Amino acid sequence: MLSQRQLALILVAPGLLLVAALFLYPLGFSLISAFTKPDGSLTLDWFAKAYELYSTDIVFTVVIVLASCGLTALAAIVIAGTLTLGENPWIVGTLKALYRWPLFIPFIVAAQCMRTFLAKNGLMNNTFVSLGLMEPLSAVSYLDWRGIIATFVWKQTPFVALLLAGALASIDRATLEAGRNLGASRVRVLVELALPQVMPTLLVALVLSFVTMLSVLSVPMMVAGSQPTMLTVDMAFRINSYGDYATANALGVITYLISAGAAILYLKRGLSKEAAP
């Protein structure tokens, strides 16, 4: 007869084996490869090479992801605030029906949609020209850093707004109604009364979005495709063009370190929440 402990180990064993085979082993191999030469001696040459070739892309990646997180937070607050405090049933119902659609679209499809929308002769510029708002010669392409940010914000805003709207719906409505009865506008009620109560949820959603955007390859490759670019494109280029796994792994370690900052923030928030009385 199996004990409870043995039964629990049998149940979790398949999951642990998958994590070990598909995540821990590749992670360990990448870390070792980034710090060793082919003869097995320790070295930092691959990091020096990565910094020499891609220091601009490292800064570009961090700026793009942080800017996307900031704009995503702003858009999510507007959507969640409208859903929670909005008084026009038509606007609230329409927004509720539409804002979650990008959740079901893969990043590669979102990138292709943005190529069609933001190109020089794309849907956006052609619409402005047909409405007489723009001359055809003044049309410009937005398939650069602006396109990457637009794609990330469009794709991640529904995820953050969904979590934020749920958190806003769960807070005590009496406080919000008291603010409204005292003459505060809906914007002031949202910013000064509602948002401070749901800030932990917003922070967690942004941390998860930060890590997600940091790991996307298809969007910078399809939407921008020029220098500077994001680290995921650099890693794919080193492997596919040169077979240079060592430098690609060094770039991967740098990406781990960047995402570790977000992970530490996430863990500190979780620990402080558990320690709260």
Side-chain angles (χ1 to χ4, degrees), residues 83-117:
L83 293 176
T84 307
L85 302 174
E87 297 177 352
N88 187 316
W90 186 86
I91 294 177
V92 173
T94 304
L95 189 59
K96 188 180 296 183
L98 294 178
Y99 87 96
R100 282 174 285 192
W101 285 17
L103 279 175
F104 305 99
I105 299 175
F107 271 105
I108 191 169
V109 178
Q112 181 57 34
C113 291
M114 283 297 170
R115 284 192 64 84
T116 305
F117 185 72

Side-chain angles (χ1 to χ4, degrees), residues 212-243:
T212 299
M213 290 187 281
L214 197 62
S215 63
V216 173
L217 170 64
S218 55
V219 172
M221 185 172 283
M222 294 177 64
V223 173
S226 59
Q227 292 293 329
T229 188
M230 297 185 69
L231 290 180
T232 49
V233 178
D234 294 329
M235 284 187 275
F237 176 74
R238 296 307 305 181
I239 293 173
N240 295 330
S241 299
Y242 297 105

Side-chain angles (χ1 to χ4, degrees), residues 181-200:
N181 292 335
L182 291 174
S185 64
R186 279 177 290 172
V187 175
R188 189 172 180 183
V189 168
L190 174 64
V191 173
E192 296 186 3
L193 295 179
L195 275 183
Q197 301 183 58
V198 297
M199 195 55 70

Side-chain angles (χ1 to χ4, degrees), residues 87-209:
E87 297 177 352
N88 187 316
W90 186 86
I91 294 177
V92 173
T94 304
L95 189 59
K96 188 180 296 183
L98 294 178
Y99 87 96
R100 282 174 285 192
W101 285 17
L103 279 175
F104 305 99
I105 299 175
F107 271 105
I108 191 169
V109 178
Q112 181 57 34
C113 291
M114 283 297 170
R115 284 192 64 84
T116 305
F117 185 72
L118 298 175
K120 184 175 182 178
N121 294 315
L123 180 62
M124 184 180 70
N125 284 337
N126 286 338
T127 302
F128 288 155
V129 170
S130 63
L131 293 175
L133 302 175
M134 176 190 293
E135 294 296 329
L137 293 178
S138 61
V140 296
S141 172
Y142 291 92
L143 296 178
D144 48 23
W145 62 271
R146 294 168 293 188
I148 298 176
I149 291 177
T151 309
F152 282 159
V153 172
W154 182 71
K155 186 71 179 68
Q156 286 303 118
T157 293
F159 170 72
V160 179
L162 185 64
L163 296 182
L164 193 60
L168 285 173
S170 65
I171 63 177
D172 185 8
R173 300 285 300 183
T175 307
L176 308 182
E177 294 298 333
R180 292 287 289 158
N181 292 335
L182 291 174
S185 64
R186 279 177 290 172
V187 175
R188 189 172 180 183
V189 168
L190 174 64
V191 173
E192 296 186 3
L193 295 179
L195 275 183
Q197 301 183 58
V198 297
M199 195 55 70
T201 301
L202 176 61
L203 187 59
V204 169
L206 291 177
V207 167
L208 296 177
S209 296

